Amino acid sequence: MPNNKYEKRLIFRIITIFAPLFSFFIPMMQYVKDLTCGSIRGQLVRLALPVMGSSFVQMAYSFTDMAWVGSLGSKSVAAIGAVGVLTWTSNSLALINKVGSEVNVGQCIGAQRMDKAQAYASHNLTLALLISIVWTTLIWTCATPLIGIFGMERDVSQLSVDYLRVVSTAFPFIFTSAAFTGIYNASGHTQVPFYVNGIGLALNMLLDPLFILGLDMGILGAAWATWISQATVCLMFFYVLMRRHRLFEGFRILVPLRLPYVPLIFKVGLPVALLNIFFSLISLFMGRTASAEGGYLGVMTLTAGGQLEAIAWYTSQGFSTALGTFVAQNYAAGCEERIRKAFKMTLGITAAIGIGCTALFYVGGEWIFSLITPEQDAYRAGGLFLKIDSYSMIFMMLEITTQGVFYGTGRTVPPALVSITGNMLRIPLALLLGHWGWGIAGVWWAISMSSILKGCVLFGWLVLRRHVLLTGSTLRPRSNLLS
């Protein structure tokens, strides 16, 4: 922690200033929202918009840190960049309990089993805390050899190790906040994570320049700004759930872990976590391939293009999460027709987004990249990436939307299998196209073609298995969720 009395008093005052905002920003709530009746389109939109906002808030965290650290020089930027893969992996592990909460708690609410919903909520929070403690201990202990993998200069590596060790102690807050987010999503109150994370972002934006430049803490200033912001977010979730308006009567944060809750949480959440971890590892290899084929312009195009693509991805992911929450409640309630209508509506919305992104990326790719870099070679390279990527946008929307149906029914393995297999195909495909002389364009086509394949396969899986997937009456004998 900051090591003088002035800094500690300053941090305490900042937190006390933000504390009254808890009640101001968090809206009055009912206990849970019943999504098994009422307007389908209205419910989907009201659920999706805050989720999209929360996703963009999470993106803004990393942008804020990188922007201020950039003023310290390239070595500091490289030090944070090296930690990026480990933080991505950590956020992926946190999905175990986020998705576990969204699916299990949502299905129990739909089946009107509030006792089971409360039990799953408590188990997810307890499990999130335990997993985060084990993961933090592992990262802290192995920080030096993990950073050593990147082979950076000794002073840069030491900066990365110091930064990683500070950030790793915030993992319990991050994991627990993810479980809280899943609980609120399942209960239909997606606006709560948006407000809470928004206040956390505002605090982070305030503390970054104060710690990095004002108190001359350098890269560790960014680490402690993130730490305090994430701790504040977690405490706000706790305050809202336990003090302001309880979702469940007699709710307990920590409980002794019991069967069958733990296996069912891992059954639902672990495939999604593994999906994201594999994606991060494959992205590393694709980055190396892009560097080999296109040099620094290849790496720049892949990273900047990925950030632009992420805008479309997060937008569709918001509707997918909303659909998953909607499906979870209606699946348990046996409202099959509402699920079908919701899927068609969501698919129509995300298809429209995909068509818009396709047109924008195909026609205006170079112009978009010219806003990022004025170098002609750079924005032409970026324009090529977006043009090739534009062919896959609709299919990416199709995959993400279809995932929402699978997640809502508790069947998270099929999307994970399709995604992991499709992403792994990018490696041999990129090497093959490179061998054929496609150059850097071959890497982009490998990414685009695999996205097209994933969307088609997962949608086909849903169509072929729809009668089994969407039958709510199969819930009890299949998963024993409510027993």
Side-chain angles (χ1 to χ4, degrees), residues 29-49:
M29 298 184 301
Q30 301 171 349
Y31 284 98
V32 294
K33 291 183 179 179
D34 185 1
L35 304 178
T36 60
C37 58
S39 169
I40 297 176
R41 187 182 301 274
Q43 289 174 341
L44 288 172
V45 172
R46 284 192 293 271
L47 289 170
L49 292 180

Side-chain angles (χ1 to χ4, degrees), residues 240-321:
V240 175
L241 183 66
M242 299 301 295
R243 300 298 179 189
R244 184 161 171 77
H245 288 286
R246 291 171 180 256
L247 289 174
F248 311 107
E249 290 291 344
F251 182 75
R252 295 171 59 192
I253 296 289
L254 301 178
V255 295
L257 298 179
R258 295 188 292 116
L259 297 174
Y261 298 105
V262 175
L264 288 174
I265 289 171
F266 275 104
K267 182 180 180 180
V268 170
L270 187 58
V272 183
L274 292 176
L275 181 161
N276 284 270
I277 291 172
F278 271 99
F279 183 77
S280 67
L281 296 176
I282 292 168
S283 295
L284 273 179
F285 183 88
M286 297 302 290
R288 292 176 64 105
T289 306
S291 177
E293 295 288 349
Y296 78 94
L297 284 179
V299 177
M300 181 280 299
T301 301
L302 181 64
T303 54
Q307 294 293 339
L308 292 171
E309 185 188 57
I311 297 174
W313 190 90
Y314 279 126
T315 302
S316 59
Q317 188 65 46
F319 282 98
S320 178
T321 301

Side-chain angles (χ1 to χ4, degrees), residues 314-372:
Y314 279 126
T315 302
S316 59
Q317 188 65 46
F319 282 98
S320 178
T321 301
L323 179 62
T325 298
F326 184 92
V327 169
Q329 289 198 22
N330 285 275
Y331 174 72
C335 303
E336 182 179 344
E337 189 58 31
R338 283 177 63 83
I339 295 176
R340 295 182 187 275
K341 290 181 179 179
F343 177 62
K344 291 179 180 179
M345 288 181 184
T346 307
L347 194 59
I349 295 171
T350 55
I353 297 171
I355 292 172
C357 291
T358 296
L360 180 62
F361 286 0
Y362 187 90
V363 176
E366 288 192 11
W367 173 78
I368 294 172
F369 256 88
S370 70
L371 301 176
I372 300 174

Side-chain angles (χ1 to χ4, degrees), residues 181-225:
T181 298
I183 293 168
Y184 278 107
N185 287 347
S187 65
H189 292 291
T190 56
Q191 75 277 16
V192 173
F194 171 64
Y195 288 129
V196 170
N197 284 306
I199 295 175
L201 173 62
L203 181 59
N204 190 60
M205 294 175 69
L206 173 67
L207 294 179
D208 262 341
L210 178 64
F211 285 1
I212 295 173
L213 302 177
L215 299 180
D216 197 25
M217 296 173 64
I219 189 175
L220 290 183
W224 283 114

Side-chain angles (χ1 to χ4, degrees), residues 14-339:
I14 290 173
I15 293 176
T16 56
I17 290 172
F18 273 79
L21 294 178
F22 296 179
S23 299
F24 180 76
F25 281 100
I26 303 304
M28 300 293 288
M29 298 184 301
Q30 301 171 349
Y31 284 98
V32 294
K33 291 183 179 179
D34 185 1
L35 304 178
T36 60
C37 58
S39 169
I40 297 176
R41 187 182 301 274
Q43 289 174 341
L44 288 172
V45 172
R46 284 192 293 271
L47 289 170
L49 292 180
V51 176
M52 291 161 51
S54 297
S55 297
F56 287 117
V57 165
Q58 292 300 323
M59 283 182 61
Y61 264 101
S62 59
F63 277 122
T64 300
D65 284 347
M66 195 64 70
W68 286 106
V69 170
S71 64
L72 300 176
S74 58
K75 287 188 176 181
S76 297
V77 174
I80 287 187
V83 177
V85 177
L86 295 171
T87 54
W88 189 343
T89 303
S90 302
N91 289 328
S92 298
L93 287 175
L95 290 175
I96 293 174
N97 298 108
K98 179 180 181 292
V99 175
S101 297
E102 289 172 347
V103 174
N104 294 328
V105 175
Q107 288 188 1
C108 291
I109 290 173
Q112 302 299 313
R113 289 298 304 271
M114 300 307 294
D115 56 329
K116 292 295 182 181
Q118 175 179 322
Y120 274 106
S122 297
H123 274 73
N124 272 289
L125 288 169
T126 303
L127 202 56
L129 184 60
L130 291 176
I131 294 173
S132 66
I133 291 174
V134 173
W135 184 245
T136 296
T137 303
L138 179 64
I139 294 296
W140 176 277
T141 305
C142 303
T144 300
L146 285 173
I147 296 299
I149 294 174
F150 294 91
M152 299 182 293
E153 294 87 345
R154 181 175 298 180
D155 56 339
V156 179
S157 294
Q158 189 58 50
L159 280 175
S160 286
V161 170
D162 295 340
Y163 179 86
L164 176 60
R165 282 181 169 161
V166 173
V167 170
S168 68
T169 58
F171 288 162
F173 303 125
I174 295 173
F175 279 56
T176 307
S177 295
F180 274 121
T181 298
I183 293 168
Y184 278 107
N185 287 347
S187 65
H189 292 291
T190 56
Q191 75 277 16
V192 173
F194 171 64
Y195 288 129
V196 170
N197 284 306
I199 295 175
L201 173 62
L203 181 59
N204 190 60
M205 294 175 69
L206 173 67
L207 294 179
D208 262 341
L210 178 64
F211 285 1
I212 295 173
L213 302 177
L215 299 180
D216 197 25
M217 296 173 64
I219 189 175
L220 290 183
W224 283 114
T226 299
W227 194 99
I228 294 171
S229 300
Q230 293 294 348
T232 302
V233 166
C234 186
L235 292 174
M236 288 170 62
F237 272 123
F238 177 82
Y239 172 82
V240 175
L241 183 66
M242 299 301 295
R243 300 298 179 189
R244 184 161 171 77
H245 288 286
R246 291 171 180 256
L247 289 174
F248 311 107
E249 290 291 344
F251 182 75
R252 295 171 59 192
I253 296 289
L254 301 178
V255 295
L257 298 179
R258 295 188 292 116
L259 297 174
Y261 298 105
V262 175
L264 288 174
I265 289 171
F266 275 104
K267 182 180 180 180
V268 170
L270 187 58
V272 183
L274 292 176
L275 181 161
N276 284 270
I277 291 172
F278 271 99
F279 183 77
S280 67
L281 296 176
I282 292 168
S283 295
L284 273 179
F285 183 88
M286 297 302 290
R288 292 176 64 105
T289 306
S291 177
E293 295 288 349
Y296 78 94
L297 284 179
V299 177
M300 181 280 299
T301 301
L302 181 64
T303 54
Q307 294 293 339
L308 292 171
E309 185 188 57
I311 297 174
W313 190 90
Y314 279 126
T315 302
S316 59
Q317 188 65 46
F319 282 98
S320 178
T321 301
L323 179 62
T325 298
F326 184 92
V327 169
Q329 289 198 22
N330 285 275
Y331 174 72
C335 303
E336 182 179 344
E337 189 58 31
R338 283 177 63 83
I339 295 176

